[in-house]
Amino acid sequence: MIDTFEIRGGGSHIEVHKFRAGAIIIATLLALVIQASFPVHFARAAILDLPLLVTIYFGLSRRNPSTGLLLGMSIGLLQDSLSGPTVPLGLYGIAKTIIGYLASSIGARLDTEHPAARFALTAVFFIAHQGLISLTRRILLAQPESWFNMRVFIAALVNAIVAVFLFLLLDRLRKRS
Amino acid sequence: MIAIPSRHKSLVLLAGVIVLQVILLAMQIKRDSQGRLLRVWTVGAVSPFERAGSYGFGWFRDTWRHYFALRNTTKENERLREENDALKLQVAQLQGKAAEADRLAVLLNFRKSHADVPMIGARVIGASAGAASQTIQLDRGERDGIRRNMGVITPDGVIGKVVESYSNTSQVLLLTDKESGVGATLADSRIQSPVGGQGEPLLIMKYVPNDDSVNLGERVVTSGMDRIFPRDLPVGTVTDIKPGNPFKQIRIKPAANLERLEEVIVLLSLHPLEMKSEADPAAAQPSTPGVANSSTAAKP
């Protein structure tokens, strides 16, 4: 079985990675449980969005837009259902569906293995994710929501830093070629 | 039949998935349903891990705080510390339990001093899975008599209200959430106005006219007008006052530390409650042990 293969085009090649059985499901559930548990003990941990980081990582690694968006949708809907009834099902779902799609589309065109690329992409995706949530709240739910503020900027940087190390950890779940 | 080029299939799938979720959102708004079935399944699947994680993390944190974090404070004593490692570990565990016992004793005293109010203690086992809402998850639910819209407090003050109750767990909307609110009164001037969250650590008092006099540091207590919380429970203190149009912008620091909640009290009543003042000697008398159990909770 081929575990790692390459997308060729325009003279460049990009690896598509596969993961050990159950790795995506376990990593996703672990991210959701930690996301729901950590802020109880460390209030500042609420700034992290681990489900988003997992969505971005698997999107960038798998590089298949269809699986990326379906994984993003699943993670988003689970996050919605864990966030209490004030968060309607679909709020995170829509945002993470689009992020999953974008991550896997970009992953198929760029080499996203370098920590600097991962840092920059995560920061951009985090801000885009917040923008999509604001857009959904404003347009579909008619709720006032700011587009961008300093807190979002800081959260994007923090999540991008965490992503660099988290992605290195998740790299260990890849099947060796 | 129209053939979709393979390079566009993922775009079509994306559009389809988003449309489905938009319809899901629209259905929730129109029917006021909250997708309860999916939420029950998800919470039911995740809450055992949260519960285990909460206890495990508590043990780890207590051990870390009282043992490892102190280990390198002085190099001179290192050899002696190593000799006493096992003993200190035991001490750390006992200290953690003692701290927990102290917190529980405060809760118990509070319950004894308000024996006429049905209430039940609960442990916080989880928080919101995203920044879009400010909720916590409790380790007690419908089986313990907890229902939606019941008030949640600590001895320090108001926490929020129950927004969803499952069989063994429940979700509480914190006062700091944008959609949260409580009927409140300024303790000195007795001006009544709702206090709500804005997704930040500080609360906001919404409808106090510019002509009314409000002082910094003034206490804010519940008014009882929301029919969830009894009167005169602490909500917070005024920390900032700015003139606005047409109402003042009053920011309030919550009385309870909403960022570090471990045990809380759920008021087990959906009817308006009257709570005796702490200063009331009759209310402060210790009552029978039965007040702390569910027999009290069954009171209407």
Side-chain angles (χ1 to χ4, degrees), chain A residues 13-95:
Chain A
H13 66 276
I14 292 171
E15 284 184 319
V16 174
H17 300 283
K18 288 201 170 185
F19 293 87
R20 292 175 188 165
I24 295 179
I25 294 173
I26 290 171
T28 299
L29 291 179
L30 207 56
L32 284 165
V33 170
I34 293 173
Q35 184 72 40
S37 305
F38 243 51
V40 174
H41 306 284
F42 297 111
R44 290 177 194 274
I47 203 170
L48 291 176
D49 193 340
L50 293 178
L52 176 66
L53 300 187
V54 170
T55 305
I56 294 170
Y57 175 79
F58 287 114
L60 291 174
S61 300
R62 294 283 297 165
R63 289 160 180 164
N64 180 330
S66 298
T67 54
L69 74 91
L70 288 175
L71 180 68
M73 180 193 72
S74 308
I75 293 175
L77 287 176
L78 287 172
Q79 196 176 4
D80 283 326
S81 55
L82 285 174
S83 295
T86 56
V87 175
L89 294 178
L91 183 69
Y92 284 115
I94 291 173

Side-chain angles (χ1 to χ4, degrees), chain B residues 61-299:
Chain B
R61 182 197 53 201
D62 291 340
T63 305
W64 180 267
R65 278 183 186 168
H66 298 112
Y67 176 64
F68 292 104
L70 300 175
R71 197 173 171 192
N72 293 319
T73 50
T74 55
K75 288 182 179 176
E76 298 95 56
N77 291 330
E78 191 158 348
R79 185 181 57 80
L80 196 58
R81 285 173 184 274
E82 286 173 2
E83 288 175 3
N84 291 323
D85 273 353
L87 192 57
K88 286 189 175 182
L89 185 59
Q90 285 181 356
V91 170
Q93 289 171 335
L94 290 172
Q95 282 177 332
K97 286 179 180 172
E100 185 178 10
D102 286 346
R103 292 196 306 270
L104 292 173
V106 172
L107 288 182
L108 188 62
N109 284 338
F110 181 84
R111 290 175 59 162
K112 282 182 175 176
S113 64
H114 300 95
D116 52 330
V117 179
M119 58 180 82
I120 189 169
R123 185 186 286 267
V124 179
I125 60 168
S128 174
S133 69
Q134 309 244 331
T135 58
I136 54 172
Q137 189 152 349
L138 306 183
D139 68 346
R140 292 180 186 266
E142 284 178 346
R143 288 185 187 173
D144 305 292
I146 296 177
R147 300 287 182 272
R148 285 181 71 178
N149 290 325
M150 285 180 169
V152 183
I153 60 176
T154 69
D156 294 331
V158 174
I159 297 296
K161 69 171 184 175
V162 176
V163 285
E164 199 61 82
S165 178
Y166 307 103
S167 59
N168 289 314
T169 58
S170 50
Q171 281 178 323
V172 176
L173 188 68
L174 296 178
L175 270 185
T176 45
D177 189 277
K178 286 176 184 171
E179 296 191 23
S180 196
V182 58
T185 302
L186 287 159
D188 299 336
S189 57
R190 306 310 294 179
I191 297 168
Q192 289 196 1
S193 169
V195 167
Q198 43 185 359
E200 296 174 5
L202 292 182
L203 311 174
I204 191 155
M205 198 169 210
K206 294 174 180 171
Y207 305 115
V208 177
N210 284 317
D211 300 338
D212 288 339
S213 172
V214 181
N215 300 316
L216 278 175
E218 192 168 351
R219 285 174 59 242
V220 180
V221 295
T222 51
S223 66
M225 297 299 283
D226 53 24
R227 302 176 74 85
I228 293 175
F229 295 100
R231 288 180 58 182
D232 293 331
L233 283 175
V235 174
T237 47
V238 175
T239 58
D240 187 33
I241 308 165
K242 286 179 184 165
N245 187 19
F247 301 110
K248 286 179 190 288
Q249 293 182 332
I250 302 174
R251 290 159 79 87
I252 292 164
K253 183 183 178 191
N257 187 350
L258 301 180
E259 294 184 346
R260 286 195 179 274
L261 293 168
E262 295 189 39
E263 290 95 15
V264 298
I265 295 169
V266 183
L267 303 174
L268 292 176
S269 175
L270 293 170
H271 304 289
L273 294 166
E274 282 297 328
M275 195 173 272
K276 290 175 185 171
S277 162
E278 288 283 354
D280 183 352
Q285 282 178 358
S287 57
T288 58
V291 298
N293 61 32
S294 57
S295 62
T296 308
K299 284 183 185 175

Side-chain angles (χ1 to χ4, degrees), chain A residues 78-128:
Chain A
L78 287 172
Q79 196 176 4
D80 283 326
S81 55
L82 285 174
S83 295
T86 56
V87 175
L89 294 178
L91 183 69
Y92 284 115
I94 291 173
K96 286 192 167 57
T97 300
I98 295 171
I99 295 298
Y101 176 82
L102 291 176
S104 44
S105 300
I106 289 174
R109 287 168 175 77
L110 300 173
D111 183 5
T112 55
E113 299 297 302
H114 195 278
R118 288 175 163 181
F119 177 87
L121 282 171
T122 305
V124 170
F125 281 136
F126 186 91
I127 291 168

